[in-house]
Amino acid sequence: MDVGILNRKIVEDKKGGQLLLDLSNDFKIRIYRDSLNESDGCTFLIGREGFVKSLYLISVGEVSPLFRKFEGEIVESSGSGDKLRIMRCGMTHSNALRLQELFPFTRATAVGLTNSFGFGDRLGLANAGHLRALKGYRFKPILAQQSIRELTRTNRTPEDVMDAAVWAVFQEGYKDGFGADADHLKRTDDIDRLIKAGFRTFTFDPSDFVVNGVEELSLDEVKRKVALLPWKDLQDNVQVLLSRYEKKTFKISDGFSIAPAGEEIFRAALKYCAALVHIRNLYSHLKKNYSDIKYEVEVSIDETDTITSPFEHFFIVTELKRLGVIFVSLAPRFIGDFEKGIDYKGDLGLFRREYEKHANISVHFGDYKISLHSGSDKLSAYKEIGKLNVGLIHIKTAGTSYLEALKVVANKNYSLFREILDFSVGLYADEKKSYHVSADVKKLKRGKEYRDDELAGLFNSNDVRQILHVTYGRVLTEKNKEGNFLFRDRIYKCLIENEELHYRILFDHFRKHLEPFRNLA
């Protein structure tokens, strides 16, 4: 392809800072400069005509054979005698799949044993902002990160989530590898569904099998229940399990050892053994059915009522290894409150001391990283972790990106934001039931009682943040009696028309999350 012909038609767009493919007075494409790629003599790019974003394929002379692989329309077949062939393609699932065939960097991968940062994107418009914020930091991005609960509440599919990541990676020219996390999985059929969509990280959530309230039981009651555990499935028995831990001291690091007493072992076994069997069953399904795919597993034990003690952490890892479960990260339930959408609540000094123990246990084993869930906005905790700089870490955020999207609405469409705020306040009592939150709706006024210039500042309120955070599903899916979305289409319109503001708000917000880890090893 004669790249010179194309280059002569690309100029700087002084308005938006993007490149402009200037074909004629009535046909101009604003180009995302980092999206320019070439394959077999055909140029690919992401561009916009007005507010409509598309994938464009460009060849000079003959129509490229690659045009036939994509769904779209030829919109320009010549220009000043140069015979510039341009095909406009919708950013659809089928075109995303074709793009992944040609450009391997758009396929999710197992990111492995490295520091990583999970960016949940409930709207599918935030990943480009996430990638911009990540530049300069030693994290691999997990872009397509979504739980079954989130998919259900937003009426999205795994393919929708993956496609959003693919288009963002291509648009931003990110070629260093990204992950895709099928989050909080509990069933094997969900594994099948998400692996088919291209997800390669699988977070197993055994919380339904973790026994809460073990600390309140008498030791005799604990022992009675331990005797009834599924020992055959565990390939174990009580006496052999005790012999692995009792009257032994495990040196974890200088000044930190674990020497569990018999009672501690019994209580850990009752609390977690059924969960370990469930994790092993999910892992076995992956291993048996997808041995030809490179995947990785995270184990999440954070969604429980009681914290994970250092010995319990050590116990879980030891037993999973005995059962043959290979995992890349583990999410303990840390001390303190990791409520949704707000900063850490609790004694930061105590958190730092306990986190250091957990991090040192992961270093002791040496083949997994610590995962921090409900990581949105836990800025004070990040500062403590960053100071320690012990071991590897994975951070998982989700709802905070949705809040940053609503912040764009609060800046640009006052009436819409007031509607969303009032609607969310009315739903909060019901929607909060499945979340760890503590917002008080009595502290808020009606939307109309706030001045326009006060709306964006409401995101500094923990109460507002949590109320908006937990009601996202209804806000994005509720319809009126005519069958039209109450808010969804207007939210998307606002974000699309104010894309650069959206990216800038995300950039500023996630830089606050990332900066404490500036000196990661």
Side-chain angles (χ1 to χ4, degrees):
M1 176 177 176
D2 186 351
V3 179
I5 294 173
L6 179 59
N7 287 343
R8 286 196 295 273
K9 294 182 177 296
I10 295 178
V11 298
E12 289 284 343
D13 175 18
K14 296 180 181 178
K15 285 185 179 180
Q18 296 171 332
L19 297 176
L20 185 67
L21 181 55
D22 193 353
L23 297 163
S24 63
N25 290 333
D26 57 352
F27 186 25
K28 294 179 174 61
I29 302 171
R30 300 189 187 281
I31 302 171
Y32 293 82
R33 65 176 67 237
D34 293 325
S35 71
L36 284 158
N37 283 276
E38 189 167 321
S39 177
D40 292 334
C42 181
T43 296
F44 290 73
L45 61 89
I46 304 289
R48 290 174 68 152
E49 296 172 61
F51 293 117
V52 179
K53 189 183 294 187
S54 304
L55 171 71
Y56 294 88
L57 280 60
I58 305 175
S59 65
V60 177
E62 298 299 322
V63 171
S64 169
L66 292 177
F67 281 29
R68 292 192 291 272
K69 290 181 174 289
F70 289 81
E71 297 175 352
E73 59 177 338
I74 294 179
V75 293
E76 182 78 3
S77 60
S78 65
S80 304
D82 295 326
K83 295 184 179 179
L84 202 63
R85 314 290 186 172
I86 301 176
M87 185 177 183
R88 181 200 294 130
C89 305
M91 296 174 72
T92 62
H93 176 59
S94 60
N95 283 336
L97 291 176
R98 289 166 174 80
L99 202 68
Q100 288 181 297
E101 292 175 6
L102 290 173
F103 300 101
F105 68 85
T106 62
R107 303 173 207 155
T109 184
V111 301
L113 203 57
T114 186
N115 294 304
S116 50
F117 200 106
F119 299 97
D121 182 7
R122 291 171 178 168
L123 294 168
L125 297 177
N127 282 160
H130 296 151
L131 287 171
R132 294 182 187 189
L134 195 65
K135 287 181 180 178
Y137 294 93
R138 296 188 182 96
F139 283 102
K140 284 285 187 182
I142 309 292
L143 295 179
Q145 173 197 288
Q146 209 96 120
S147 66
I148 298 299
R149 179 173 67 181
E150 288 173 315
L151 290 171
T152 301
R153 292 191 174 187
T154 58
N155 287 340
R156 298 178 79 203
T157 67
E159 289 77 14
D160 292 334
V161 178
M162 181 60 69
D163 291 349
V166 170
W167 293 119
V169 166
F170 196 81
Q171 175 184 303
E172 298 301 307
Y174 183 82
K175 300 180 180 179
D176 293 333
F178 72 98
D181 183 4
D183 197 15
H184 284 289
L185 295 173
K186 300 184 179 185
R187 305 181 341 181
T188 56
D189 57 342
D190 288 328
I191 293 175
D192 298 335
R193 183 181 169 199
L194 284 136
I195 205 165
K196 183 179 179 182
F199 286 72
R200 294 296 179 261
T201 301
F202 299 89
T203 299
F204 295 159
D205 179 358
S207 57
D208 293 342
F209 297 87
V210 174
V211 179
N212 292 303
V214 170
E215 292 76 12
E216 284 73 49
L217 299 176
S218 69
L219 181 57
D220 286 342
E221 180 69 4
V222 169
K223 288 183 176 180
R224 187 185 70 79
K225 289 179 179 291
V226 165
L228 300 175
L229 288 172
W231 291 106
K232 183 177 180 181
D233 292 332
L234 287 162
Q235 303 166 19
D236 204 9
N237 64 59
V238 176
Q239 293 306 317
V240 173
L241 180 141
L242 283 172
S243 70
R244 286 198 291 275
Y245 302 100
E246 197 171 27
K247 297 179 182 179
K248 292 185 178 180
T249 298
F250 303 93
K251 183 178 179 181
I252 305 301
S253 62
D254 291 342
F256 173 39
S257 297
I258 291 176
E263 178 174 344
E264 195 175 4
I265 301 165
F266 274 108
R267 292 188 186 278
L270 177 57
K271 186 175 180 181
Y272 289 112
C273 274
L276 297 176
V277 171
H278 183 61
I279 293 167
R280 195 273 312 276
N281 290 342
L282 294 175
Y283 180 77
S284 296
H285 179 80
L286 257 179
K287 186 176 180 181
K288 177 182 177 182
N289 294 287
Y290 303 105
S291 59
D292 58 329
I293 294 175
K294 186 177 181 181
Y295 57 79
E296 60 190 9
V297 166
E298 174 172 293
V299 173
S300 167
I301 52 171
D302 71 303
E303 292 203 352
T304 58
D305 294 341
T306 55
I307 66 170
T308 308
S309 71
F311 169 65
E312 289 170 342
H313 177 166
F314 183 85
F315 174 84
I316 290 165
V317 175
T318 302
E319 295 306 303
L320 285 175
K321 286 179 174 293
R322 183 182 65 81
L323 291 169
V325 176
I326 299 171
F327 55 96
V328 75
S329 53
L330 174 77
R333 168 70 161 84
F334 290 107
I335 197 165
D337 283 327
F338 281 76
E339 293 187 15
K340 298 294 185 181
I342 63 174
D343 204 348
Y344 174 81
K345 294 170 71 173
D347 184 329
L348 282 169
L350 180 58
F351 168 78
R352 181 179 180 179
R353 291 191 293 275
E354 289 300 299
Y355 182 90
E356 186 173 17
K357 293 176 184 177
H358 287 289
N360 276 315
I361 293 171
S362 72
V363 172
H364 169 78
F365 286 104
D367 56 1
Y368 67 95
K369 50 195 169 185
I370 295 293
S371 186
L372 195 76
H373 287 200
S374 296
S376 295
D377 310 295
K378 304 302 181 290
L379 305 183
S380 61
Y382 292 160
K383 290 177 182 177
E384 299 303 320
I385 296 170
K387 292 174 188 174
L388 289 170
N389 199 6
V390 175
L392 296 171
I393 188 170
H394 174 62
I395 295 171
K396 190 168 290 192
T397 70
T400 197
S401 292
Y402 171 71
L403 294 180
E404 296 307 288
L406 291 187
K407 191 183 291 183
V408 178
V409 178
N411 276 281
K412 291 296 182 178
N413 191 329
Y414 307 134
S415 61
L416 173 57
F417 181 75
R418 288 188 175 95
E419 288 181 53
I420 294 171
L421 179 63
D422 289 342
F423 181 77
S424 298
V425 168
L427 295 174
Y428 178 71
D430 287 331
E431 297 298 306
K432 71 177 182 179
K433 293 176 183 177
S434 57
Y435 288 98
H436 184 39
V437 288
S438 59
D440 184 357
V441 296
K442 295 177 182 177
K443 293 182 180 180
L444 273 67
K445 299 183 290 188
R446 293 289 303 277
K448 65 182 181 181
E449 297 179 56
Y450 293 104
R451 300 190 313 271
D452 291 351
D453 60 0
E454 290 181 304
L455 296 178
L458 293 177
F459 288 87
N460 296 321
S461 161
N462 285 351
D463 299 294
V464 171
R465 294 185 67 82
Q466 292 195 331
I467 288 167
L468 294 174
H469 187 290
V470 304
T471 54
Y472 71 92
R474 294 281 296 279
V475 169
L476 294 175
T477 60
E478 199 81 2
K479 294 182 179 181
N480 58 25
K481 59 184 180 181
E482 287 80 28
N484 299 316
F485 287 109
L486 284 180
F487 308 110
R488 183 184 183 277
D489 293 342
R490 288 185 287 164
I491 291 172
Y492 274 84
K493 183 175 185 293
C494 183
L495 295 175
I496 290 168
E497 291 180 355
N498 297 282
E499 185 179 74
E500 285 303 317
L501 174 63
H502 185 203
Y503 291 166
R504 188 165 67 250
I505 285 176
L506 286 165
F507 178 93
D508 292 342
H509 186 63
F510 278 100
R511 284 281 170 157
K512 295 175 185 176
H513 286 66
L514 294 160
E515 187 57 30
F517 304 102
R518 169 68 70 179
N519 297 318
L520 276 182

